[in-house]
Amino acid sequence: MKAHAVAEVTDADFEEEVLAERGRPVLVKFTADWCGPCRQLAPVLSALAAEEASRLKVVQIDVDRNPATLVRYGVLSTPTLLVFRDGEPVQQMVGARAKRRLLQELEGVLAATAGASG
């Protein structure tokens, strides 16, 4: 049942797992083990990954173990959520939030995905 778990990506596979994805956006959570708000956001993202799997890929990257990606995208705090479409960052959100708010913030990206696939 791990199909909907939030996958862990690294500096080494970020390009393959995130930037090379076509057809659906990728939500990347920049996280750290010591980050309380990151832990609060974890079940929200797991639910989102399960419910929106056809329209959104959800992954996370540990900022302490993957500094190159952190620096590349100018991430200054955790949790930071970056949404990529066809290899380009298109939306950024900083801090934990409830699922409803997150879905509202992602509405434009998800609507564009639904329109593109139809």
Side-chain angles (χ1 to χ4, degrees):
M1 286 295 177
K2 197 152 165 68
H4 298 303
V6 176
E8 188 86 30
V9 297
T10 66
D11 284 346
D13 65 6
F14 191 84
E15 187 155 338
E16 176 186 343
E17 293 295 328
V18 176
L19 303 182
E21 180 76 26
R22 298 294 181 259
R24 64 180 173 160
V26 182
L27 173 66
V28 180
K29 173 187 169 194
F30 288 82
T31 189
D33 293 339
W34 46 263
C35 169
C38 298
R39 288 192 297 275
Q40 289 177 319
L41 193 55
V44 171
L45 291 183
S46 291
L48 190 68
E51 294 165 18
E52 300 293 341
S54 64
R55 299 194 300 163
L56 182 70
K57 179 176 181 177
V58 182
V59 299
Q60 65 183 9
I61 186 165
D62 185 290
V63 298
D64 293 326
R65 293 190 287 269
N66 300 282
T69 303
L70 175 80
V71 170
R72 180 175 180 181
Y73 293 102
V75 173
L76 300 175
S77 61
T78 57
T80 291
L81 304 174
L82 268 182
V83 182
F84 289 80
R85 179 186 297 289
D86 297 330
E88 296 297 324
V90 296
Q91 186 173 3
Q92 178 176 324
M93 297 160 277
V94 178
R97 60 230 324 113
K99 189 171 96 174
R100 172 178 271 175
R101 179 174 166 209
L102 183 57
L103 280 169
Q104 288 171 340
E105 291 179 89
L106 291 170
E107 198 171 284
V109 172
L110 294 175
T113 302
S117 65

